Amino acid sequence: MRFAIGRPDPKEAQTGERLSMDMSRPGRRALDLPPLDVPEAPPPPSHLLRTSLRLPELSQNEVVRYFLSLSRLNYSVDSGFYPLGSCTMKYNPKVNEEVASLPGFAHVHPLQQRHTIQGALYLMFHLQELLCRITGMDSSSLAPAAGAQGELAGMLMIKAFLRDHGQSQRNVVLVPDSAHGTNPASAAMAGFQVVTIPSNAQGNVDLEALRETLGPQVAAVMLTIPSTLGLFEPNIQQIAQMVHEAGALLYGDGANQNAFLGRARFGDMGFDVVHLNLHKTFAAPHGGGGPGAGPVCCKSHLAPYLPTPVVEQTDEGFRLTSPPRSIGRLLAFWGHFTVLVRAYAYIRALGEEGLKAVSTHAVVNANYVRTRLKGAYHLPYDRPCLHEVVFSTVRQKAKGVKALDIAKRLIDYGFHPPTMYFPLTVPEALMIEPTETESKENLDAFCEAMLAIAREAEECPEVVREAPHTTPLARLDEATAARRPILHWQGG
Ligand SMILES: Cc1ncc(COP(=O)(O)O)c(C=O)c1O
């Protein structure tokens, strides 16, 4: 057989089973404090002291080894290839971290007086301008704290615009079935009714279905571009025209802008408002829920509704302000400032040509993976993709091996699994985004692993079905782990 099942590292296996409390021995210490050289102070009153707090008693090397082995169980973009489709887990240049931790940025306080934070405000103002240039829009707000919050902001802006123009009866938002899952959720949160538009056999928006659904009730169409199939929408200009002729607005989900940075702009395609994910496209680290930044950029007719704050330049310098018909605040203070700093550093370091190179590499890498794997895995939409490629493992499923099993088996080969079962329009989907920051060698190693797993699915499917074999725990009950997590030590 051509596969090798790795053996768990005994130290790691031990960590999976033994917590620091289990290793605790009474009286053991990690540090000896020097004798007191100040007068002893009485402890706080006993009702303030917790007697039930039990801490592990360990030596220093036990503590260090324990946490080091725990950290080795973690997987991150700094430790390996992380091909999560739609999530763009690309390598983030460390220089951005250094820039963001400069004291003038890291220690700025949101309540500081305006004249003391002109540098920070300049950065925000300039970033607003750069994002408008990149997207082909007129105005922007950096306030939203995540992509989905940018979507919510955009939807609320559209709602407020329609209200001001006597169009409040427009309460329906059309969302193609290839949109990101947060799109219908954001539209619903903004109080719209969501209607799904099907894709056609090529994975594009079905224009006939769109034409039939557009009408006087429709407020907006929300389009993820590229779609969650990793495909560009070739009829985008026609769609924009249809939407506008019907009196509705066009929203763009630009979370995955690394697909066409420097090559195509939302504004030129006819979008009215778009959000970007700085924590993906512009190399601010993310994962685990944040912090992120999902700025909204819009055409001039929506600018009065942008979320608060926006930064404006006056004769007395830069200042934070609220647009005249603003939808208001989305969060306390001014957004995730150091995420903005990282994105700004990234954009300035790369410049126009560098940003263009980002999309070249993102697209070339995804198409490389697509061509290498398409003989082994079913490709539901067999055409060049943009930044990510979606396979279906229906062929393997016929042998009893599901997308989930393949994803788990990749862990044995040392790779983070791709996104699974998304988009919903593709059965047994594996959505792979190699990102622009991986070398050919890394892509080859990943493709070799995927090809080996395809062979295993043919020759010894149980090995894939029972994977992973190299982790302290294998198949967890994920629903119970999420709903009823055990978060504290339960020893005797
Ligand atoms: C296309 C698309 N839209 C929206 C989002 C939502 O962004 P966030 O997770 O920052 O809310 C994502 C996140 O992966 C995305 O890929």
Side-chain angles (χ1 to χ4, degrees):
M1 279 191 272
R2 274 167 293 178
F3 65 90
I5 301 175
R7 291 266 155 257
D9 175 336
K11 276 191 252 83
E12 291 186 351
Q14 187 186 24
T15 305
E17 286 152 21
R18 298 186 69 206
L19 299 178
S20 56
M21 260 332 246
D22 299 320
M23 297 187 278
S24 177
R25 294 288 174 275
R28 210 165 267 180
R29 291 281 174 272
L31 205 63
D32 286 325
L33 294 177
L36 264 189
D37 58 0
V38 290
E40 200 168 341
S46 60
H47 70 276
L48 294 178
L49 295 175
R50 276 195 287 173
T51 50
S52 62
L53 183 64
R54 294 173 63 198
L55 294 172
E57 296 178 72
L58 301 170
S59 66
Q60 194 170 105
N61 62 2
E62 284 169 329
V63 174
V64 170
R65 285 175 193 162
Y66 178 69
F67 283 107
L68 185 71
S69 59
L70 277 184
S71 76
R72 286 168 60 204
L73 294 179
N74 202 6
Y75 195 96
S76 74
V77 79
D78 283 343
S79 57
F81 183 52
Y82 208 132
L84 270 187
S86 198
C87 291
T88 316
M89 297 300 284
K90 70 183 177 190
Y91 180 77
N92 305 131
K94 294 294 170 269
V95 65
N96 298 345
E97 299 304 310
E98 268 180 50
V99 174
S101 57
L102 290 172
F105 292 135
H107 299 161
V108 73
H109 191 279
L111 295 182
Q112 254 174 263
Q113 290 198 335
R114 177 153 69 94
H115 71 271
T116 66
I117 53 166
Q118 284 296 300
L121 292 179
Y122 167 78
L123 183 144
M124 290 171 74
F125 180 78
H126 199 201
L127 182 59
Q128 285 174 183
E129 289 199 324
L130 289 172
L131 297 181
C132 284
R133 247 164 66 197
I134 288 168
T135 54
M137 293 292 186
D138 301 317
S139 301
S140 70
S141 163
L142 308 173
Q149 206 178 39
E151 294 167 27
L152 177 65
M155 284 292 108
L156 292 173
M157 288 162 64
I158 288 175
K159 194 167 196 175
F161 172 85
L162 292 173
R163 184 198 56 218
D164 281 2
H165 289 77
Q167 296 281 305
S168 292
Q169 87 288 356
R170 292 185 179 269
N171 61 354
V172 172
V173 169
L174 308 183
V175 184
D177 59 7
S178 60
H180 194 262
T182 48
N183 289 191
S186 301
M189 270 185 82
F192 289 109
Q193 186 195 329
V194 176
V195 173
T196 306
I197 302 293
S199 304
N200 62 20
Q202 290 76 44
N204 303 325
V205 173
D206 183 330
L207 293 185
E208 269 324 298
L210 178 64
R211 202 183 313 277
E212 278 165 24
T213 326
L214 277 170
Q217 302 299 317
V218 175
V221 173
M222 249 185 138
L223 215 71
T224 302
I225 189 161
S227 73
T228 56
L229 296 166
L231 302 176
F232 192 73
E233 175 55 64
N235 302 314
I236 186 58
Q237 281 177 316
Q238 194 181 343
I239 292 174
Q241 194 180 344
M242 284 164 67
V243 170
H244 290 143
E245 278 173 8
L249 299 176
L250 188 58
Y251 183 92
D253 179 333
N256 289 320
Q257 259 286 268
N258 56 335
F260 52 81
L261 263 186
R263 292 170 190 284
R265 306 192 313 162
F266 281 88
D268 303 336
M269 291 182 233
F271 285 88
D272 298 285
V273 50
V274 57
H275 85 268
L276 301 171
N277 277 28
L278 299 191
H279 47 293
K280 292 165 55 172
T281 303
F282 298 104
H286 65 113
V296 264
C297 307
C298 64
K299 289 280 175 62
S300 56
H301 53 282
L302 288 175
Y305 304 93
L306 279 167
T308 300
V310 295
V311 182
E312 69 173 16
Q313 190 169 20
T314 69
D315 291 343
E316 289 99 50
F318 298 97
R319 67 177 190 129
L320 293 155
T321 179
S322 183
R325 306 283 300 151
S326 173
I327 58 163
R329 272 188 188 288
L330 297 161
L331 72 177
F333 300 114
W334 325 121
H336 288 149
F337 178 63
T338 59
V339 176
L340 307 180
V341 176
R342 288 177 177 90
Y344 183 75
Y346 184 74
I347 294 171
R348 293 299 306 275
L350 287 179
E352 256 175 60
E353 285 310 308
L355 292 181
K356 229 177 185 174
V358 163
S359 51
T360 307
H361 290 292
V363 172
V364 167
N365 283 0
N367 280 288
Y368 183 72
V369 171
R370 180 179 67 83
T371 13
R372 281 217 60 188
L373 298 185
K374 78 181 218 184
Y377 294 93
H378 174 60
L379 191 58
Y381 299 97
D382 192 358
R383 63 187 242 210
C385 59
L386 289 189
H387 66 302
E388 66 195 3
V389 55
V390 178
F391 288 101
S392 164
T393 64
V394 281
R395 224 179 272 166
Q396 286 73 23
K397 197 172 180 200
K399 299 271 177 185
V401 172
K402 302 192 296 279
L404 174 76
D405 304 323
I406 293 169
K408 297 279 187 197
R409 183 64 175 139
L410 268 170
I411 299 171
D412 288 337
Y413 281 89
F415 294 105
H416 193 285
T419 298
M420 310 175 287
Y421 299 105
F422 188 75
L424 303 177
T425 47
V426 174
E428 296 296 317
L430 281 185
M431 182 198 229
I432 300 168
E433 180 173 0
T435 79
E436 58 272 21
T437 50
E438 294 299 330
S439 66
K440 180 171 177 299
E441 293 77 18
N442 290 345
L443 300 186
D444 279 333
F446 172 75
C447 290
E448 291 303 332
M450 286 292 287
L451 295 173
I453 296 170
R455 285 195 299 271
E456 289 173 354
E458 290 286 325
E459 295 168 15
C460 44
E462 69 290 349
V463 169
V464 188
R465 273 200 298 269
E466 288 160 17
H469 304 273
T470 54
T471 52
L473 297 173
R475 301 264 173 145
L476 303 177
D477 176 347
E478 283 160 14
T480 305
R483 302 246 160 83
R484 282 193 285 126
I486 300 169
L487 297 175
H488 59 88
W489 186 66
Q490 295 195 323

